[in-house]
Amino acid sequence: MLTHLHDRLVLQGDFDACEELIDKAVRDGLFNQYISQQEYKPRWSQIIPKCNKGTSAQEISRDDMNSDGDDNRPGMRGGHQMVIDVQTETVYLFGGWDGTQDLADFWAYSVQENQWACISRDTEKESGPSARSCHKMCIDSQQRQIYTLGRYLDSSVRNSKSLKSDFYRYDIDANTWTLLSEDTSADGGPKLVFDHQMCMDSEKHMIYTFGGRILTCNGSVEDSRTTEPQFSGLYAYHCQAGTWSLLREDSCNAGPEDVQSRIGHCMLFHTRNRCLYVFGGQRSKTYLNDFFSYDVDGDHVEIISDGTKKDSGMVPMTGFTQRATIDPDLNEIHVLSGLSKDKDKREENVRNSFWIYDIARNNWSCVYKNDQAVKENPSKALQEEEPCPRFAHQLVYDEMHKVHYLFGGNPGKSCSPKMRLDDFWSLKLCRPSKEYLLRHCRYLIRKYRFEEKAQSEPLSALKYLQNDLSLTVDHTDPDETKEFQLLPSALFKSSSDFIPLGFSDVDQTYAQRTQLFDTLVNFFPDSMTPPKGNLVDLITL
């Protein structure tokens, strides 16, 4: 195809045929490799949901929403939990801490309707879980059921009764809660934990839970042995049988199959290769930056990184609150790194960053880092471009429609420690589309065709600029518009301006068409293109 393109473009100057060849190349998927190698650009959008009273989102002010928010959408909170049903495009949100108390409200947000619905003001009154925060939830989209486990309890209310680890299941279609266990530790499962992680394997109807700090009674026999915090191991729950099994106890990573428990880490389940991926987190005062996978079928741990390498600049920084999601189709892990929970670290370097881990290539890349120092006194417009850094927030990912959703959290303001957020955002990671590349290539071809015409037929060139070239310009893009507006200047150059000294018209035309050809070749797969660089460099001396 490239031989055809060279023949039509460079030798014949048949620009219409060139556009047809580029169109065919895009349709045949020849630009896919180029697209996959381009960096993502994050696109945040704040979601302003519709109100239930029939008022449109545009008609209601931000102040009105805050004053009347309880009726229409979840209020401010951190330490809540969210899951998403990708089949119905519904985000479920339960519980959290509003700065003064734990919450037991349960909400569903419909993406298609852009509307929150309150399923329950208090799930405990409907045979569901009590008010809680720092719990975990996971969803079985096939069975349409949601599971929740764990919570944080203040030391003042801990006793043998309150420290039982209850375990609930919510049936979406029946709108009912079921208490699966009053105390999972009595059933062979984990003790009461908080800041753990939980993943669902819908195919085999298994739940995996790992880590989290075990809550103990102050001064109890159990706690008198050591003041060191205790952490929970890796457990599996068989949903159909209703049984727990311990897969790995907490250990100090002495053996190759051992795992070290932690809190505030990330754990994700890859539905294709059937592995759990675990990284980050904290153990006592130590921030961990190891990264390992666990094959759930083969019962095998693989260390991806022990965290001791010197490439710390190319991995998400430890000590910052990380929220992670996985895309099994793209074979990628996404990590949003926010605010540090550590007050000493918080003020000095507050910024959001977004990272992508390519599982097949085993490498991290940072999509963006946004230093928030410039936002100490920001204009309102600037602040609304993306969510402010935070911790205790929640992030879920719709891998079918490739959208993240973020809600609430704690902005870590030392001046107002009880402040929590209720903002709701969507995030799309964008790469150039096939349509964009096709339009861009047409623009390059038509721009060169115009410049060639301008030397000999200025009137015809002007008409071509207005009618044909203009169609390939995105007039909403300021950079493209500016470049387009400068193009007519070519009409006022004399033909000698185009041709360097010592060149003939033919030489110059050939050279410029070759330059355009080389630009277009960049979009084609490496296997089709000539080697880059100098051929002399390939000769071994």
Side-chain angles (χ1 to χ4, degrees):
M1 179 178 269
L2 287 181
T3 311
H4 279 306
L5 185 64
H6 187 272
D7 180 61
R8 299 289 186 280
L9 173 60
V10 180
L11 302 180
Q12 296 181 30
D14 186 344
F15 297 105
D16 290 332
C18 287
E19 286 194 27
E20 284 172 22
L21 282 168
I22 292 293
D23 192 35
K24 185 178 187 313
V26 171
R27 275 187 283 112
D28 291 349
L30 294 180
F31 284 19
N32 291 359
Q33 183 192 329
Y34 175 85
I35 291 171
S36 71
Q37 291 170 346
Q38 300 311 294
E39 282 194 353
Y40 283 115
K41 287 201 170 91
R43 190 182 297 156
W44 287 102
S45 302
Q46 187 163 10
I47 298 171
I48 308 295
K50 280 194 301 195
C51 297
N52 299 336
K53 297 171 183 173
T55 316
S56 72
Q58 285 74 28
E59 291 171 35
I60 195 156
S61 73
R62 188 81 189 149
D63 294 335
D64 290 338
M65 287 178 72
N66 286 340
S67 62
D68 197 21
D70 290 348
D71 293 337
N72 299 311
R73 63 196 180 100
M76 299 179 179
R77 67 192 67 206
H80 48 292
Q81 271 296 290
M82 292 200 311
V83 292
I84 186 165
D85 181 350
V86 298
Q87 309 294 335
T88 61
E89 287 188 90
T90 307
V91 176
Y92 294 91
L93 182 152
F94 169 60
W97 172 265
D98 68 0
T100 56
Q101 62 179 356
D102 277 329
L103 305 168
D105 53 346
F106 187 33
W107 295 80
Y109 171 77
S110 165
V111 174
Q112 291 175 350
E113 293 178 20
N114 184 28
Q115 197 164 33
W116 284 102
C118 184
I119 299 170
S120 173
R121 296 280 169 198
D122 184 352
T123 49
E124 190 173 15
K125 288 179 181 172
E126 293 164 21
S127 307
S130 57
R132 60 192 60 203
S133 58
C134 303
H135 51 299
K136 283 292 171 282
M137 290 201 311
C138 62
I139 186 169
D140 184 340
S141 294
Q142 288 184 11
Q143 299 292 317
R144 294 181 52 73
Q145 293 171 330
I146 294 170
Y147 295 81
T148 184
L149 175 76
R151 67 189 186 281
Y152 177 75
L153 279 179
D154 191 76
S155 56
S156 60
V157 293
R158 292 180 203 168
N159 55 52
S160 55
K161 186 173 183 295
S162 69
L163 285 175
K164 286 183 176 175
S165 170
D166 53 11
F167 184 35
Y168 284 89
R169 180 181 67 214
Y170 173 74
D171 188 293
I172 294 171
D173 295 325
N175 186 23
T176 54
W177 287 96
T178 305
L179 177 64
L180 299 173
S181 173
E182 285 187 4
D183 186 6
T184 52
S185 67
D187 298 335
K191 294 178 180 177
L192 183 61
V193 290
F194 70 96
D195 274 354
H196 48 300
Q197 283 295 339
M198 193 157 76
C199 290
M200 184 83 218
D201 171 8
S202 294
E203 186 187 332
K204 298 272 180 83
H205 306 294
M206 299 288 287
I207 290 172
Y208 297 93
T209 178
F210 172 62
R213 185 166 166 182
I214 297 170
L215 286 166
T216 53
C217 284
N218 291 356
S220 71
V221 178
E222 191 180 8
D223 207 34
S224 61
R225 289 180 288 109
T226 173
T227 54
E228 283 292 303
Q230 297 175 330
F231 299 91
S232 185
L234 175 62
Y235 288 86
Y237 177 75
H238 197 292
C239 299
Q240 290 172 329
T243 54
W244 287 95
S245 54
L246 175 63
L247 303 175
R248 291 289 187 283
E249 287 189 29
D250 174 28
S251 87
C252 297
N253 278 3
E257 289 291 336
D258 291 343
V259 296
Q260 190 175 22
S261 291
R262 66 223 33 217
I263 60 168
H265 50 296
C266 299
M267 182 170 82
L268 305 158
F269 181 63
H270 195 313
T271 52
R272 298 285 176 87
N273 68 22
R274 302 191 46 74
C275 283
L276 291 167
Y277 288 87
V278 179
F279 55 91
Q282 187 179 355
R283 188 179 173 93
S284 301
K285 290 185 178 175
T286 307
Y287 289 106
L288 306 174
N289 61 348
D290 59 333
F291 186 10
F292 66 88
S293 65
Y294 174 74
D295 180 342
V296 298
D297 299 326
D299 186 32
H300 169 61
V301 173
E302 183 175 332
I303 308 296
I304 297 167
S305 166
D306 61 9
T308 59
K309 286 185 183 171
K310 294 285 186 277
D311 56 358
S312 57
M314 284 319 294
V315 296
M317 283 175 67
T318 59
F320 292 87
T321 303
Q322 292 173 349
R323 293 288 179 265
T325 60
I326 192 164
D327 190 318
D329 300 327
L330 298 175
N331 212 22
E332 291 175 344
I333 288 171
H334 307 141
V335 181
L336 175 67
S337 182
L339 200 57
S340 172
K341 279 189 183 177
D342 186 341
K343 287 178 184 163
D344 301 331
K345 278 190 164 194
R346 197 176 294 156
E347 302 297 334
E348 65 191 50
N349 199 3
V350 178
R351 63 183 180 192
N352 282 327
S353 60
F354 202 94
W355 296 77
I356 289 181
Y357 175 72
D358 185 317
I359 295 171
R361 292 180 185 158
N362 183 24
N363 78 300
W364 288 97
S365 57
C366 183
V367 173
Y368 85 108
K369 275 184 184 173
N370 185 25
D371 202 323
Q372 296 288 319
V374 295
K375 295 194 177 182
E376 284 303 310
N377 188 13
S379 68
K380 194 177 177 189
L382 189 65
Q383 200 165 24
E384 287 176 355
E385 285 174 12
E386 67 171 86
C388 67
R390 61 194 65 197
F391 63 91
H393 51 295
Q394 274 305 304
L395 182 76
V396 292
Y397 180 57
D398 178 349
E399 72 267 16
M400 194 180 288
H401 302 91
K402 312 298 181 197
V403 190
H404 285 86
Y405 297 95
L406 178 146
F407 184 91
N410 186 338
K413 303 281 185 207
S414 49
C415 54
S416 45
K418 290 189 175 181
M419 181 185 178
R420 298 297 181 272
L421 301 166
D422 66 346
D423 51 346
F424 191 29
W425 297 79
S426 71
L427 168 66
K428 290 184 180 177
L429 298 174
C430 305
R431 278 176 168 149
S433 64
K434 287 182 180 181
E435 293 73 27
Y436 169 83
L437 285 179
L438 179 58
R439 182 181 64 78
H440 183 61
C441 288
R442 281 181 176 152
Y443 169 74
L444 293 173
I445 293 167
R446 293 184 188 186
K447 177 179 165 228
Y448 175 75
R449 188 176 184 177
F450 160 74
E451 287 170 345
E452 204 171 278
K453 268 179 182 284
Q455 296 175 50
S456 54
E457 308 169 65
L459 277 177
S460 170
L462 181 60
K463 196 177 282 186
Y464 183 78
L465 177 79
Q466 293 167 333
N467 298 334
D468 298 87
L469 180 48
S470 176
L471 292 175
T472 64
V473 177
D474 178 1
H475 295 281
T476 62
D477 184 310
D479 293 333
E480 283 194 33
T481 305
K482 188 178 179 183
E483 187 178 337
F484 176 70
Q485 288 167 346
L486 293 172
L487 287 175
S489 63
L491 297 165
F492 305 105
K493 292 179 181 176
S494 69
S495 59
S496 60
D497 291 335
F498 290 97
I499 305 165
L501 210 58
F503 269 70
S504 69
D505 287 12
V506 177
D507 291 338
Q508 178 63 4
T509 301
Y510 183 85
Q512 288 185 329
R513 287 179 182 176
T514 301
Q515 194 176 359
L516 173 60
F517 173 76
D518 290 342
T519 303
L520 296 174
V521 162
N522 287 326
F523 300 115
F524 285 82
D526 295 340
S527 57
M528 292 179 69
T529 59
K532 293 176 174 66
N534 196 325
L535 285 173
V536 176
D537 297 336
L538 300 175
I539 301 168
T540 51
L541 300 173

